[in-house]
Amino acid sequence: EGDLEERLCELDLRSDSDIPDVPPPTDSTPEILKRALSGLSARWKNWWIRGILTLAMISGFFLIIYMGSFMLMLLVLSIQVKCYHEIITIGYRVYHSYDLPWFRSLSWYFLLCVNYFFYGETVADYFATFVQRREQLQFLIRYHRFISFALYLTGFCMFVLSLVKKHYRLQFYMFAWTHVTLLITVTQSHLVIQNLFEGMIWFLVPISSVICNDITAYIFGFFFGRTPLIKLSPKKTWEGFIGGFFSTVVFGFIFSYFLAQHQYFVCPVEYSSETNRFVTECEPSELFQMKKYSVPPLLQAVLGWETVNMYPFQMHSFALSTFASLIGPFGGFFASGFKRAFKIKDFADTIPGHGGIMDRFDCQYLMATFVHVYITSFIRGPNPSKLLKQLLILQPEQQLSVYKALKSHLVEKGILQPSLRG
């Protein structure tokens, strides 16, 4: 027993250089691209592969946007599952967890539990009228948190029962690895979907800003990069970082202008129980109504304008674009540090020239949290539509009590006359 503890302590004290290598990913580039680009240097070959696959992914993204909100939610869920798989697989290989009992089964079980909890919360918030019509769903929603806790507790007990004397520490390493991965992937993807329900524009502008920053920073760095930015990512340069910032701010401002003109993008996503589908129809809020603004005196001499017409949301796009270009990349730097710690180049080889799905979405998760906090702090107010849905699922006596309290309040405010009868 003493020798085992000694060996485990040595495992804890290992330096980064002692961590076992993860098998390098295979080259998944299609053969047709390899042959077409065979005469180019490695640098330009990578440029063309990244460029072609980037255009393909952007085209697919636009197609999914056209297909509607539900398909976007499925896309987010699919990306979440794939990112989770990539990170869990790294831990599985790095710590040689091949013989740990139940490890993979429990990892996926915990993923299902956490998704059940978060998506159940979403159903309760946004599908109240739909749930009200189905008795079996009412039970699940009413006791949703208890059921979620019971499911998690089952997994927790299974983990404890799976502990093996010679693998205690390794098993707890992987237990912690699983939970941190859940925090990074599931909770952040849940926030992405919450942002989507506020209106597709709150989903598209942040995500597109991060994509724009990735692309333009790469282009500026590729052609003009000379000054290294951070040791964690040797290929990142100050020229790319600064060029990406200005390009992203301009892109966000222009992109927001076009999206703000259409109800499809600015209206909150709501579920219609009458048509059994998601709808985006509303009277646009003040954020998406054109207003006239005075140009600061210093800029008047340069632009020659005293006033300018723009949507208020375009002002918010500055905050979103600035975060995407200045703070968002730190999600990528964090991922680079993670990969260096475990001696891997990419999270996977899913996308030729790009690496894994997580390699492309490392900045998006940080952005999702910022947008959610930004909306709740500066944008979101009381939601009459959501409140009405909650009132409609109350018992008749509860609805009557709310009505009397509201009427009394309006009379006190002088909005209703005391003689008015309900």
Side-chain angles (χ1 to χ4, degrees):
E1 182 69 29
D3 291 342
L4 176 61
E5 286 298 320
E6 252 182 60
R7 288 198 298 273
L8 290 173
C9 287
E10 287 175 5
L11 179 67
D12 279 348
L13 295 173
R14 291 184 310 177
S15 66
D16 286 351
S17 61
D18 297 323
I19 292 174
D21 290 326
V22 175
T26 57
D27 184 4
S28 58
T29 306
E31 285 298 326
I32 188 171
L33 273 181
K34 287 182 180 179
R35 289 196 297 270
L37 304 174
S38 58
L40 299 176
S41 65
R43 185 168 183 256
W44 279 101
K45 186 184 297 183
N46 184 60
W47 160 269
W48 279 105
I49 292 173
R50 286 176 66 98
I52 292 169
L53 268 296
T54 296
L55 290 175
M57 287 188 289
I58 291 175
S59 300
F61 183 53
F62 278 118
L63 176 61
I64 293 174
I65 292 171
Y66 175 76
M67 295 171 71
S69 306
F70 183 70
M71 294 304 298
L72 283 172
M73 293 177 200
L74 288 181
L75 174 66
V76 172
L77 179 60
S78 302
I79 290 171
Q80 173 222 112
V81 172
K82 181 57 180 171
C83 288
Y84 181 82
H85 172 258
E86 290 177 359
I87 299 175
I88 285 294
T89 300
I90 291 172
Y92 186 73
R93 291 175 176 174
V94 165
Y95 289 106
H96 299 300
S97 311
Y98 310 109
D99 300 322
L100 291 186
W102 301 359
F103 165 63
R104 283 210 161 179
S105 300
L106 282 176
S107 295
W108 289 104
Y109 177 80
F110 282 126
L111 177 67
L112 289 173
C113 289
V114 176
N115 270 306
Y116 176 82
F117 171 73
F118 280 118
Y119 283 93
E121 294 284 304
T122 299
V123 169
D125 283 344
Y126 295 99
F127 300 86
T129 53
F130 174 79
V131 171
Q132 183 65 17
R133 296 179 178 181
R134 287 160 175 78
E135 191 172 339
Q136 64 274 24
L137 290 181
Q138 290 180 36
F139 174 84
L140 293 175
I141 294 300
R142 183 176 181 181
Y143 300 104
H144 170 68
R145 294 192 177 185
F146 181 80
I147 295 171
S148 300
F149 178 70
L151 289 172
Y152 176 82
L153 203 58
T154 301
F156 180 82
C157 293
M158 289 170 64
F159 167 74
V160 174
L161 292 173
S162 73
L163 291 173
V164 179
K165 187 174 182 180
K166 292 184 178 181
H167 298 292
Y168 287 156
R169 193 162 302 190
L170 180 56
Q171 285 180 284
F172 279 103
Y173 280 153
M174 299 315 300
F175 184 77
W177 186 288
T178 298
H179 282 66
V180 171
T181 305
L182 289 171
L183 177 67
I184 292 173
T185 57
V186 182
T187 57
Q188 304 306 310
S189 64
H190 174 69
L191 294 181
V192 171
I193 291 178
Q194 292 290 306
N195 298 338
L196 175 59
F197 274 109
E198 295 296 326
M200 208 178 289
I201 196 169
W202 291 104
F203 173 86
L204 293 177
V205 171
I207 285 181
S208 300
S209 294
V210 172
I211 294 172
C212 174
N213 186 70
D214 278 347
I215 294 172
T216 54
Y218 177 76
I219 291 173
F220 276 94
F222 186 88
F223 288 105
F224 309 109
R226 297 291 183 274
T227 314
L229 175 63
I230 186 170
K231 290 183 179 179
L232 283 173
S233 295
K235 293 183 180 180
K236 298 290 193 303
T237 64
W238 275 105
E239 291 81 2
F241 187 74
I242 295 171
F245 165 69
F246 286 107
S247 302
T248 303
V249 169
V250 172
F251 167 81
F253 187 80
I254 296 173
F255 191 49
S256 298
Y257 173 79
F258 287 107
L259 293 184
Q261 300 177 44
H262 304 282
Q263 279 191 10
Y264 182 73
F265 297 114
V266 304
C267 290
V269 177
E270 295 182 350
Y271 179 80
S272 171
S273 56
E274 297 178 358
T275 59
N276 287 328
R277 64 185 182 89
F278 291 102
V279 295
T280 49
E281 297 173 358
C282 68
E283 181 65 31
S285 68
E286 292 185 358
L287 276 179
F288 308 107
Q289 295 179 12
M290 189 72 74
K291 291 187 177 180
K292 183 178 291 187
Y293 293 91
S294 298
V295 177
L298 290 176
L299 293 178
Q300 287 183 16
V302 178
L303 300 175
W305 303 333
E306 293 185 0
T307 60
V308 61
N309 293 325
M310 57 186 290
Y311 294 100
F313 181 81
Q314 290 178 272
M315 304 296 292
H316 294 290
S317 76
F318 277 117
L320 301 178
S321 300
T322 298
F323 186 91
S325 52
L326 296 184
I327 307 299
F330 280 84
F333 301 153
F334 176 86
S336 295
F338 178 89
K339 289 183 284 188
R340 280 179 168 271
F342 295 103
K343 298 181 178 180
I344 55 176
K345 181 177 182 294
D346 297 311
F347 282 94
D349 58 355
T350 310
I351 313 171
H354 292 268
I357 298 295
M358 191 65 196
D359 290 288
R360 292 276 55 84
F361 288 89
D362 45 15
C363 301
Q364 296 287 5
Y365 286 124
L366 196 60
M367 188 72 191
T369 306
F370 171 72
V371 175
H372 184 75
V373 171
Y374 188 87
I375 291 173
T376 54
S377 300
F378 304 111
I379 304 299
R380 183 187 295 161
N383 189 334
S385 176
K386 187 175 179 180
L387 179 60
L388 181 60
K389 288 179 180 178
Q390 293 174 333
L391 287 174
L392 291 175
I393 65 176
L394 296 176
Q395 297 297 321
E397 58 273 14
Q398 294 173 316
Q399 294 174 340
L400 187 59
S401 176
V402 171
Y403 166 74
K404 289 177 179 178
L406 180 60
K407 177 185 174 182
S408 176
H409 174 74
L410 294 176
V411 169
E412 289 177 6
K413 289 281 189 179
I415 298 173
L416 290 180
Q417 297 298 321
S419 58
L420 184 64
R421 296 185 179 275

